Amino acid sequence: MPNSMDTMIAKGTGAVKSVEARLHGLTGVFKTLAEQHGEVSALMKRVKSDADKRADLWPTIRMELVSHEKGELREVYPVLRELPETRMMADRHDAEAGALETLIDRINNTPTASEEWGQFFEQLVNMVENHAEEEEAQIFPVAQKAIGAQRAKEIDARFLAAKKQIAHTV
């Protein structure tokens, strides 16, 4: 479980990502997703810089990643799959989500003190960073334009509810 400093760093990083997203014209669910990318990235960086944080932060990182990804799969990407301009992006995202879930499971079943855990975690960090960059730079702007600000706001409320529900099962 993150301590107050870890939480403050994560929330601060998320707030910065939210402002950046807004400056790039993203609203609603796309702004929320970018904010969550920032928060989990900050927690992951804390683990990378301090191996003693592995056991404390991994359950939170895992819950955030799994609930975020499953929330996207439930509420965001089905909408994008409906539109010709975002359909291929949604299909690619689904394939990447499977690889992410497999790696999360592998990490979760490996002792946090082991060297292997660190190697798997490094792979996860790279995967999440690449995924977030791709979404924020390529997918979200196209999707925002395709669905519009109002629909992005509607999806945001559904995504947040789904993420919260999923988080309780992780």
Short mmCIF file of all heavy atoms in Angstrom, two decimals, residues 106-145:
data_model
loop_
_atom_site.label_atom_id
_atom_site.label_comp_id
_atom_site.label_asym_id
_atom_site.label_seq_id
_atom_site.Cartn_x
_atom_site.Cartn_y
_atom_site.Cartn_z
N ARG A 106 2.11 -12.82 -14.59
CA ARG A 106 3.46 -13.39 -14.38
C ARG A 106 4.15 -12.69 -13.22
O ARG A 106 4.76 -13.33 -12.36
CB ARG A 106 4.27 -13.25 -15.66
CG ARG A 106 5.68 -13.86 -15.53
CD ARG A 106 6.39 -13.86 -16.85
NE ARG A 106 5.89 -14.98 -17.62
CZ ARG A 106 5.92 -15.05 -18.95
NH1 ARG A 106 6.40 -14.05 -19.64
NH2 ARG A 106 5.48 -16.11 -19.57
N ILE A 107 4.07 -11.38 -13.19
CA ILE A 107 4.69 -10.62 -12.09
C ILE A 107 4.01 -10.97 -10.77
O ILE A 107 4.69 -11.17 -9.75
CB ILE A 107 4.59 -9.10 -12.37
CG1 ILE A 107 5.46 -8.73 -13.57
CG2 ILE A 107 5.00 -8.29 -11.13
CD1 ILE A 107 5.22 -7.33 -14.09
N ASN A 108 2.71 -11.04 -10.79
CA ASN A 108 1.96 -11.31 -9.57
C ASN A 108 2.30 -12.67 -8.97
O ASN A 108 2.19 -12.86 -7.77
CB ASN A 108 0.46 -11.20 -9.84
CG ASN A 108 -0.32 -10.94 -8.59
OD1 ASN A 108 0.01 -10.04 -7.83
ND2 ASN A 108 -1.34 -11.73 -8.37
N ASN A 109 2.71 -13.61 -9.81
CA ASN A 109 3.03 -14.97 -9.36
C ASN A 109 4.53 -15.19 -9.15
O ASN A 109 4.97 -16.33 -9.01
CB ASN A 109 2.47 -15.99 -10.36
CG ASN A 109 0.96 -16.00 -10.36
OD1 ASN A 109 0.34 -15.97 -9.30
ND2 ASN A 109 0.37 -16.00 -11.53
N THR A 110 5.29 -14.12 -9.11
CA THR A 110 6.74 -14.19 -8.91
C THR A 110 7.08 -13.47 -7.60
O THR A 110 6.54 -12.39 -7.35
CB THR A 110 7.48 -13.51 -10.09
OG1 THR A 110 7.08 -14.15 -11.32
CG2 THR A 110 8.98 -13.62 -9.95
N PRO A 111 7.94 -14.05 -6.78
CA PRO A 111 8.31 -13.37 -5.52
C PRO A 111 8.92 -11.99 -5.78
O PRO A 111 9.81 -11.84 -6.62
CB PRO A 111 9.34 -14.31 -4.90
CG PRO A 111 9.09 -15.64 -5.53
CD PRO A 111 8.58 -15.35 -6.91
N THR A 112 8.43 -10.97 -5.05
CA THR A 112 8.88 -9.60 -5.30
C THR A 112 10.37 -9.40 -5.03
O THR A 112 10.97 -8.49 -5.60
CB THR A 112 8.09 -8.59 -4.45
OG1 THR A 112 8.19 -8.95 -3.08
CG2 THR A 112 6.64 -8.52 -4.87
N ALA A 113 10.96 -10.25 -4.19
CA ALA A 113 12.39 -10.09 -3.87
C ALA A 113 13.30 -10.70 -4.93
O ALA A 113 14.51 -10.48 -4.90
CB ALA A 113 12.69 -10.72 -2.51
N SER A 114 12.73 -11.41 -5.89
CA SER A 114 13.56 -12.11 -6.87
C SER A 114 14.04 -11.19 -8.00
O SER A 114 13.41 -10.18 -8.32
CB SER A 114 12.79 -13.28 -7.48
OG SER A 114 11.77 -12.82 -8.34
N GLU A 115 15.15 -11.57 -8.59
CA GLU A 115 15.68 -10.85 -9.74
C GLU A 115 14.72 -10.94 -10.92
O GLU A 115 14.54 -9.98 -11.67
CB GLU A 115 17.04 -11.43 -10.14
CG GLU A 115 17.73 -10.67 -11.25
CD GLU A 115 19.11 -11.23 -11.56
OE1 GLU A 115 19.85 -11.59 -10.62
OE2 GLU A 115 19.44 -11.30 -12.76
N GLU A 116 14.08 -12.11 -11.05
CA GLU A 116 13.12 -12.33 -12.14
C GLU A 116 11.96 -11.33 -12.06
O GLU A 116 11.51 -10.81 -13.07
CB GLU A 116 12.61 -13.77 -12.07
CG GLU A 116 11.79 -14.19 -13.25
CD GLU A 116 11.39 -15.66 -13.16
OE1 GLU A 116 10.99 -16.12 -12.06
OE2 GLU A 116 11.45 -16.32 -14.20
N TRP A 117 11.50 -11.04 -10.84
CA TRP A 117 10.41 -10.08 -10.66
C TRP A 117 10.84 -8.72 -11.23
O TRP A 117 10.08 -8.08 -11.95
CB TRP A 117 10.05 -9.94 -9.18
CG TRP A 117 8.77 -9.20 -8.93
CD1 TRP A 117 7.54 -9.74 -8.74
CD2 TRP A 117 8.59 -7.77 -8.86
NE1 TRP A 117 6.60 -8.74 -8.56
CE2 TRP A 117 7.22 -7.52 -8.63
CE3 TRP A 117 9.44 -6.68 -8.98
CZ2 TRP A 117 6.70 -6.23 -8.50
CZ3 TRP A 117 8.92 -5.39 -8.86
CH2 TRP A 117 7.56 -5.18 -8.63
N GLY A 118 12.04 -8.31 -10.90
CA GLY A 118 12.54 -7.03 -11.40
C GLY A 118 12.61 -6.99 -12.91
O GLY A 118 12.29 -5.96 -13.52
N GLN A 119 13.00 -8.10 -13.52
CA GLN A 119 13.07 -8.15 -14.98
C GLN A 119 11.67 -8.06 -15.60
O GLN A 119 11.46 -7.33 -16.57
CB GLN A 119 13.78 -9.43 -15.43
CG GLN A 119 15.24 -9.44 -15.06
CD GLN A 119 15.88 -10.82 -15.23
OE1 GLN A 119 15.21 -11.82 -15.46
NE2 GLN A 119 17.21 -10.86 -15.11
N PHE A 120 10.74 -8.82 -15.04
CA PHE A 120 9.37 -8.75 -15.53
C PHE A 120 8.78 -7.35 -15.34
O PHE A 120 8.09 -6.83 -16.21
CB PHE A 120 8.47 -9.77 -14.82
CG PHE A 120 8.75 -11.20 -15.17
CD1 PHE A 120 8.57 -12.19 -14.21
CD2 PHE A 120 9.18 -11.59 -16.43
CE1 PHE A 120 8.81 -13.52 -14.51
CE2 PHE A 120 9.42 -12.92 -16.74
CZ PHE A 120 9.23 -13.89 -15.77
N PHE A 121 9.07 -6.76 -14.18
CA PHE A 121 8.55 -5.43 -13.90
C PHE A 121 9.10 -4.40 -14.88
O PHE A 121 8.37 -3.52 -15.34
CB PHE A 121 8.84 -5.03 -12.44
CG PHE A 121 8.14 -3.78 -12.03
CD1 PHE A 121 6.79 -3.78 -11.74
CD2 PHE A 121 8.82 -2.57 -11.95
CE1 PHE A 121 6.12 -2.62 -11.37
CE2 PHE A 121 8.17 -1.40 -11.59
CZ PHE A 121 6.81 -1.43 -11.29
N GLU A 122 10.37 -4.52 -15.21
CA GLU A 122 10.98 -3.62 -16.19
C GLU A 122 10.26 -3.74 -17.53
O GLU A 122 10.00 -2.73 -18.20
CB GLU A 122 12.46 -3.92 -16.34
CG GLU A 122 13.20 -2.99 -17.27
CD GLU A 122 13.29 -1.55 -16.76
OE1 GLU A 122 13.36 -1.34 -15.53
OE2 GLU A 122 13.27 -0.63 -17.60
N GLN A 123 9.93 -4.97 -17.93
CA GLN A 123 9.17 -5.18 -19.16
C GLN A 123 7.80 -4.50 -19.07
O GLN A 123 7.34 -3.87 -20.03
CB GLN A 123 8.97 -6.67 -19.44
CG GLN A 123 10.20 -7.42 -19.82
CD GLN A 123 9.94 -8.92 -19.92
OE1 GLN A 123 8.81 -9.38 -20.01
NE2 GLN A 123 11.01 -9.70 -19.90
N LEU A 124 7.17 -4.63 -17.90
CA LEU A 124 5.86 -4.01 -17.70
C LEU A 124 5.95 -2.49 -17.79
O LEU A 124 5.12 -1.86 -18.44
CB LEU A 124 5.29 -4.42 -16.35
CG LEU A 124 3.91 -3.83 -16.01
CD1 LEU A 124 2.84 -4.40 -16.94
CD2 LEU A 124 3.56 -4.12 -14.55
N VAL A 125 6.94 -1.91 -17.16
CA VAL A 125 7.12 -0.46 -17.21
C VAL A 125 7.24 -0.01 -18.66
O VAL A 125 6.57 0.94 -19.09
CB VAL A 125 8.35 -0.01 -16.39
CG1 VAL A 125 8.70 1.45 -16.66
CG2 VAL A 125 8.11 -0.26 -14.90
N ASN A 126 8.07 -0.69 -19.43
CA ASN A 126 8.25 -0.33 -20.85
C ASN A 126 6.94 -0.48 -21.62
O ASN A 126 6.59 0.38 -22.43
CB ASN A 126 9.36 -1.16 -21.48
CG ASN A 126 10.72 -0.82 -20.95
OD1 ASN A 126 10.96 0.29 -20.49
ND2 ASN A 126 11.63 -1.78 -20.98
N MET A 127 6.23 -1.57 -21.36
CA MET A 127 4.97 -1.82 -22.05
C MET A 127 3.94 -0.73 -21.71
O MET A 127 3.29 -0.19 -22.61
CB MET A 127 4.42 -3.20 -21.67
CG MET A 127 3.15 -3.58 -22.41
SD MET A 127 2.50 -5.20 -21.89
CE MET A 127 3.70 -6.28 -22.66
N VAL A 128 3.83 -0.39 -20.44
CA VAL A 128 2.86 0.62 -20.02
C VAL A 128 3.23 1.99 -20.58
O VAL A 128 2.37 2.73 -21.06
CB VAL A 128 2.72 0.64 -18.48
CG1 VAL A 128 1.93 1.85 -18.01
CG2 VAL A 128 2.06 -0.65 -18.00
N GLU A 129 4.51 2.35 -20.52
CA GLU A 129 4.94 3.64 -21.06
C GLU A 129 4.64 3.75 -22.55
O GLU A 129 4.13 4.77 -23.01
CB GLU A 129 6.43 3.86 -20.80
CG GLU A 129 6.77 4.18 -19.37
CD GLU A 129 8.26 4.29 -19.10
OE1 GLU A 129 9.08 3.99 -20.00
OE2 GLU A 129 8.61 4.69 -17.97
N ASN A 130 4.97 2.71 -23.30
CA ASN A 130 4.70 2.72 -24.74
C ASN A 130 3.21 2.78 -25.03
O ASN A 130 2.76 3.51 -25.92
CB ASN A 130 5.33 1.50 -25.42
CG ASN A 130 6.83 1.56 -25.43
OD1 ASN A 130 7.43 2.62 -25.39
ND2 ASN A 130 7.47 0.41 -25.49
N HIS A 131 2.44 2.01 -24.27
CA HIS A 131 0.99 1.98 -24.43
C HIS A 131 0.39 3.37 -24.16
O HIS A 131 -0.42 3.87 -24.94
CB HIS A 131 0.41 0.94 -23.47
CG HIS A 131 -1.07 0.89 -23.43
ND1 HIS A 131 -1.82 0.21 -24.37
CD2 HIS A 131 -1.96 1.43 -22.56
CE1 HIS A 131 -3.10 0.34 -24.07
NE2 HIS A 131 -3.21 1.08 -22.98
N ALA A 132 0.80 3.98 -23.06
CA ALA A 132 0.28 5.30 -22.70
C ALA A 132 0.66 6.34 -23.74
O ALA A 132 -0.18 7.17 -24.13
CB ALA A 132 0.79 5.69 -21.31
N GLU A 133 1.91 6.32 -24.19
CA GLU A 133 2.35 7.27 -25.20
C GLU A 133 1.55 7.12 -26.49
O GLU A 133 1.14 8.12 -27.10
CB GLU A 133 3.84 7.09 -25.50
CG GLU A 133 4.75 7.62 -24.41
CD GLU A 133 6.22 7.30 -24.66
OE1 GLU A 133 6.59 7.05 -25.83
OE2 GLU A 133 6.98 7.30 -23.69
N GLU A 134 1.34 5.88 -26.91
CA GLU A 134 0.57 5.63 -28.13
C GLU A 134 -0.87 6.12 -27.99
O GLU A 134 -1.39 6.80 -28.87
CB GLU A 134 0.58 4.15 -28.48
CG GLU A 134 -0.25 3.82 -29.71
CD GLU A 134 -0.34 2.34 -30.02
OE1 GLU A 134 -0.17 1.52 -29.11
OE2 GLU A 134 -0.60 2.02 -31.19
N GLU A 135 -1.49 5.79 -26.85
CA GLU A 135 -2.86 6.24 -26.66
C GLU A 135 -2.95 7.76 -26.66
O GLU A 135 -3.79 8.34 -27.35
CB GLU A 135 -3.42 5.70 -25.33
CG GLU A 135 -3.89 4.27 -25.41
CD GLU A 135 -4.62 3.82 -24.16
OE1 GLU A 135 -4.29 4.30 -23.05
OE2 GLU A 135 -5.52 2.98 -24.30
N GLU A 136 -2.11 8.41 -25.87
CA GLU A 136 -2.20 9.84 -25.70
C GLU A 136 -1.84 10.62 -26.97
O GLU A 136 -2.43 11.66 -27.24
CB GLU A 136 -1.34 10.29 -24.53
CG GLU A 136 -1.88 9.79 -23.20
CD GLU A 136 -0.92 10.00 -22.04
OE1 GLU A 136 -0.06 10.90 -22.11
OE2 GLU A 136 -1.04 9.27 -21.05
N ALA A 137 -0.88 10.12 -27.73
CA ALA A 137 -0.42 10.86 -28.92
C ALA A 137 -1.19 10.50 -30.18
O ALA A 137 -1.37 11.35 -31.05
CB ALA A 137 1.08 10.60 -29.14
N GLN A 138 -1.64 9.25 -30.28
CA GLN A 138 -2.24 8.81 -31.54
C GLN A 138 -3.72 8.46 -31.44
O GLN A 138 -4.51 8.90 -32.26
CB GLN A 138 -1.48 7.59 -32.08
CG GLN A 138 -0.03 7.89 -32.40
CD GLN A 138 0.77 6.63 -32.71
OE1 GLN A 138 0.21 5.59 -33.00
NE2 GLN A 138 2.07 6.73 -32.62
N ILE A 139 -4.08 7.68 -30.43
CA ILE A 139 -5.46 7.19 -30.36
C ILE A 139 -6.41 8.24 -29.81
O ILE A 139 -7.45 8.52 -30.42
CB ILE A 139 -5.52 5.89 -29.52
CG1 ILE A 139 -4.71 4.79 -30.21
CG2 ILE A 139 -6.96 5.46 -29.30
CD1 ILE A 139 -4.55 3.51 -29.40
N PHE A 140 -6.09 8.81 -28.66
CA PHE A 140 -7.02 9.73 -28.02
C PHE A 140 -7.38 10.94 -28.87
O PHE A 140 -8.57 11.30 -28.96
CB PHE A 140 -6.50 10.20 -26.65
CG PHE A 140 -6.40 9.11 -25.61
CD1 PHE A 140 -5.78 9.36 -24.41
CD2 PHE A 140 -6.92 7.84 -25.82
CE1 PHE A 140 -5.68 8.38 -23.42
CE2 PHE A 140 -6.83 6.84 -24.85
CZ PHE A 140 -6.21 7.12 -23.65
N PRO A 141 -6.44 11.61 -29.54
CA PRO A 141 -6.83 12.75 -30.36
C PRO A 141 -7.80 12.37 -31.50
O PRO A 141 -8.77 13.09 -31.75
CB PRO A 141 -5.51 13.28 -30.93
CG PRO A 141 -4.48 12.82 -29.94
CD PRO A 141 -4.97 11.48 -29.46
N VAL A 142 -7.54 11.24 -32.14
CA VAL A 142 -8.42 10.79 -33.22
C VAL A 142 -9.79 10.41 -32.64
O VAL A 142 -10.84 10.77 -33.19
CB VAL A 142 -7.80 9.60 -33.98
CG1 VAL A 142 -8.77 9.01 -34.99
CG2 VAL A 142 -6.51 10.03 -34.68
N ALA A 143 -9.76 9.70 -31.52
CA ALA A 143 -11.01 9.28 -30.89
C ALA A 143 -11.82 10.48 -30.40
O ALA A 143 -13.04 10.51 -30.55
CB ALA A 143 -10.71 8.32 -29.75
N GLN A 144 -11.14 11.45 -29.81
CA GLN A 144 -11.82 12.66 -29.32
C GLN A 144 -12.55 13.35 -30.47
O GLN A 144 -13.71 13.74 -30.34
CB GLN A 144 -10.81 13.62 -28.69
CG GLN A 144 -11.38 14.95 -28.27
CD GLN A 144 -12.04 14.92 -26.92
OE1 GLN A 144 -11.52 14.33 -26.00
NE2 GLN A 144 -13.18 15.56 -26.80
N LYS A 145 -11.86 13.48 -31.58
CA LYS A 145 -12.47 14.13 -32.74
C LYS A 145 -13.64 13.29 -33.28
O LYS A 145 -14.67 13.84 -33.65
CB LYS A 145 -11.41 14.31 -33.84
CG LYS A 145 -11.90 15.07 -35.03
CD LYS A 145 -10.80 15.32 -36.02
CE LYS A 145 -11.34 16.08 -37.22
NZ LYS A 145 -10.31 16.26 -38.24
#
